[in-house]
Amino acid sequence: MPNRWLCLLLLPACISAVTLDCKHIRIDKKDFDLSALGGPKTIHQQRWLPPSISNTTFTIDLCNPLKKLKGIDSKEQCPSGTRVCGIEERYNPIDGVKEVTEVRPIAGEFSTSHGRAMDPEVTRLKESSNADQEGLRIELRGGKFPETRQGDLQKAIIELHCDAELTGNEGFEDDEAAVNVAGYGSMSKRAKDDKDDEEEDEPELPDLDKGKSLQFVSYKNEKDDVGVLRLTWKTKYACENAEKAPAKEPGNKSSGWGFFTWFFIVSFLLIAAYIIFGSWLNYTRYGARGMDLIPHSDMIRDLPYIAKEWVGGVADRMKSGGSRGGYSAV
């Protein structure tokens, strides 16, 4: 059988094998459960680019792909499968105009759309250059910007530092959109008053990430022109003796795969294996070609006729059942 058939049939299994399972991470015989860090988290990089302020919002979800937001143009959001997304907005404090200028998919699973896998890599910080720090180092890949032949590959490096006092979810309780607008809006009046000044000083930008366990470190092109986003994340779940993440409440949907999901995956793999083996057997033993390669191909060909006869039989029984036999009284 051609090898490309085997690759296509086993593609779902191959994809699932390279995703990041937050609940079951095992490194150097040590287990970590990062499922409590799941869900979208945002962090910002702000720059003064006269006369505008550049604010890049990096959104990350360690455990699941980011969901599309309703009411926002898809061109202003990262594609499906993204785990780490960077969206740059330019805000002019003089006229109050804000616009999205760049959308950068930093990391995610894009095997089916662009042929690039997330390829997660998890290591202990004690085994890396930061040997004195207890925790984990997670690298996520798959992004590219712009999405052209000349575009630069992207990746995110998240260092999770052990901090027994923090869960890692601190600082994400407030509405960040409101903080963003309020922080920049307060500059508008000052900017208008200083518009005619000869010297244009850099304004004091609001701290949009104050009190967060997750912090921005840098975003720049590094070795081989790969755009690298570096973040640090303080959490007790990165400690090697950490307690397990709390179970989800009954009313909340679990992020793990349920029984029926595994049943479907196992059933699909068994059926695929049966078709592959049967096709190989028909090819080597009988020299079959085309449709004849597939096991029980005769029955598959007859399915439309069998279905048609069955529907016709049911219709006939319903008609005969509707008019009961017998003689009517005179």
Side-chain angles (χ1 to χ4, degrees):
M1 172 179 291
N3 290 333
R4 61 178 180 273
W5 288 24
L6 179 62
C7 294
L8 289 174
L9 287 171
L10 296 182
L11 182 59
C14 295
I15 292 175
S16 64
V18 295
T19 56
L20 180 65
D21 184 359
C22 285
K23 195 168 185 62
H24 304 99
I25 296 179
R26 186 170 179 80
I27 303 295
D28 298 335
K29 299 182 179 181
K30 295 185 181 296
D31 296 315
F32 297 88
D33 182 358
L34 305 180
S35 58
L37 303 179
K41 306 287 191 301
T42 58
I43 207 74
H44 303 84
Q45 178 192 23
Q46 300 177 92
R47 294 175 295 165
W48 169 238
L49 302 176
S52 300
I53 298 169
S54 167
N55 174 35
T56 302
T57 301
F58 295 102
T59 306
I60 176 174
D61 190 337
L62 272 182
C63 305
N64 294 290
L66 295 170
K67 295 181 179 179
K68 294 272 190 177
L69 300 177
K70 295 181 179 179
I72 299 180
D73 192 337
S74 60
K75 294 180 181 179
E76 297 182 358
Q77 302 188 65
C78 283
S80 299
T82 303
R83 293 284 186 102
V84 185
C85 176
I87 299 178
E88 182 182 9
E89 295 177 310
R90 297 286 179 92
Y91 181 84
N92 191 325
I94 296 176
D95 53 23
V97 175
K98 183 176 70 172
E99 63 175 347
V100 175
T101 55
E102 288 183 353
V103 177
R104 295 176 177 247
I106 306 296
E109 187 56 60
F110 308 117
S111 297
T112 55
S113 56
H114 297 96
R116 296 190 303 273
M118 184 169 65
D119 191 20
E121 182 179 345
V122 184
T123 56
R124 294 167 64 204
L125 288 179
K126 290 183 177 180
E127 303 299 327
S128 64
S129 56
N130 197 354
D132 296 331
Q133 176 66 54
E134 181 179 343
L136 295 173
R137 173 189 171 105
I138 299 178
E139 294 190 25
L140 304 178
R141 303 172 177 83
K144 189 177 184 181
F145 182 81
E147 194 60 63
T148 61
R149 182 175 296 181
Q150 291 78 23
D152 295 330
L153 295 177
Q154 308 284 309
K155 73 175 180 179
I157 299 178
I158 308 102
E159 289 195 356
L160 288 86
H161 294 177
C162 170
D163 191 322
E165 303 298 324
L166 300 176
T167 65
N169 293 313
E170 290 79 7
F172 296 101
E173 299 83 4
D174 298 330
D175 183 1
E176 302 211 16
V179 174
N180 194 338
V181 173
Y184 290 149
S186 63
M187 298 184 197
S188 300
K189 186 176 183 305
R190 294 201 312 269
K192 290 178 181 178
D193 295 339
D194 299 338
K195 184 177 180 181
D196 298 329
D197 293 350
E198 294 182 2
E199 185 176 347
E200 194 169 14
D201 297 329
E202 179 176 350
E204 183 178 351
L205 301 177
D207 187 357
L208 303 181
D209 302 316
K210 186 177 181 179
K212 291 184 179 180
S213 303
L214 178 65
Q215 290 294 314
F216 171 84
V217 177
S218 66
Y219 175 63
K220 60 185 178 181
N221 278 17
E222 297 186 8
K223 185 178 179 181
D224 298 327
D225 287 332
V226 176
V228 180
L229 170 66
R230 294 182 179 272
L231 306 173
T232 59
W233 203 338
K234 294 182 179 180
T235 172
K236 64 181 180 180
Y237 298 110
C239 301
E240 296 185 357
N241 58 347
E243 61 186 41
K244 291 187 177 181
K248 298 287 184 179
E249 295 180 4
N252 298 336
K253 293 183 178 179
S254 173
S255 60
W257 288 1
F259 169 78
F260 290 103
T261 303
W262 281 111
F263 177 79
F264 173 78
I265 293 175
V266 172
S267 300
F268 173 82
L269 293 177
L270 289 175
I271 293 172
Y274 176 76
I275 293 175
I276 293 171
F277 179 75
S279 300
W280 173 81
L281 193 63
N282 289 337
Y283 175 77
T284 56
R285 181 174 294 181
Y286 305 110
R289 296 289 189 278
M291 189 68 179
D292 293 332
L293 277 172
I294 302 175
H296 310 293
S297 57
D298 293 338
M299 185 185 71
I300 295 175
R301 289 193 186 97
D302 294 338
L303 278 178
Y305 305 103
I306 295 173
K308 184 178 180 180
E309 291 179 1
W310 182 80
V311 172
V314 172
D316 291 340
R317 283 196 294 273
M318 292 179 65
K319 288 179 181 178
S320 61
S323 58
R324 296 180 179 275
Y327 295 99
S328 59
V330 179

